[in-house]
Amino acid sequence: MSERALRGTRLGATSYETDRGIDLAPRQTVEYACQNGHRFEVPFSVEAEIPATWECRFCGQEAALLDGDEPEEKKIKPTRTHWDMLMERRTREELEEVLAERLAVLRSGGMNLAVHPRDTRKSA
């Protein structure tokens, strides 16, 4: 008999629980509108922080909260270049000193740039 009771049902696909006797959390509905004129409501918990923007469920554009404050612009940090990071670590005088030292080593022949370590040709 128990085998027949489950025959034809989709176990796991359908819930047989009901909402009777259950107190749902208090909710509020918030209305959003996108630039294309679509208006829609989104339910939130009363305790939730309401976002200023939400993705439009019709077109996917960013929708703004109706009767809400404008979203704050995020501060964009300027891109730091190699030079900027170098100047954070050293002063211009220090860099000129290092450059003078390196140029002195090159001019004295301390580094032989003519012979490459992987060069298999014999120099004449």
Side-chain angles (χ1 to χ4, degrees):
M1 174 109 180
S2 63
E3 292 177 7
R4 288 188 197 170
L6 297 177
R7 183 181 291 176
T9 62
R10 295 174 288 172
L11 291 176
T14 306
S15 173
Y16 294 107
E17 294 182 16
T18 63
D19 291 338
R20 277 185 257 140
I22 297 175
D23 292 330
L24 298 176
R27 299 182 186 267
Q28 61 180 331
T29 55
V30 179
E31 192 172 10
Y32 289 92
C34 74
Q35 293 178 353
N36 294 334
H38 300 126
R39 294 172 75 113
F40 57 94
E41 292 182 344
V42 179
F44 287 99
S45 170
V46 173
E47 300 168 355
E49 184 178 324
I50 307 299
T53 60
W54 196 265
E55 182 179 321
C56 177
R57 60 177 57 163
F58 301 107
C59 64
Q61 296 289 326
E62 190 173 270
L65 178 65
L66 289 180
D67 302 328
D69 297 333
E70 289 292 320
E72 293 181 12
E73 292 288 328
K74 291 184 179 179
K75 293 182 182 178
I76 299 174
K77 295 171 80 175
T79 305
R80 286 179 26 190
T81 63
H82 174 73
W83 179 254
D84 295 332
M85 290 184 271
L86 185 63
M87 293 306 290
E88 289 175 5
R89 295 189 310 263
R90 303 206 178 195
T91 64
R92 187 143 189 132
E93 291 79 25
E94 290 174 328
L95 292 174
E96 288 175 2
E97 185 179 321
V98 170
L99 177 62
E101 290 174 6
R102 295 285 89 201
L103 286 174
V105 170
L106 284 173
R107 289 180 182 139
S108 69
M111 295 178 68
N112 191 356
L113 297 178
V115 179
H116 193 275
R118 292 190 215 151
D119 195 358
T120 57
R121 296 177 284 153
K122 296 200 179 207
S123 50

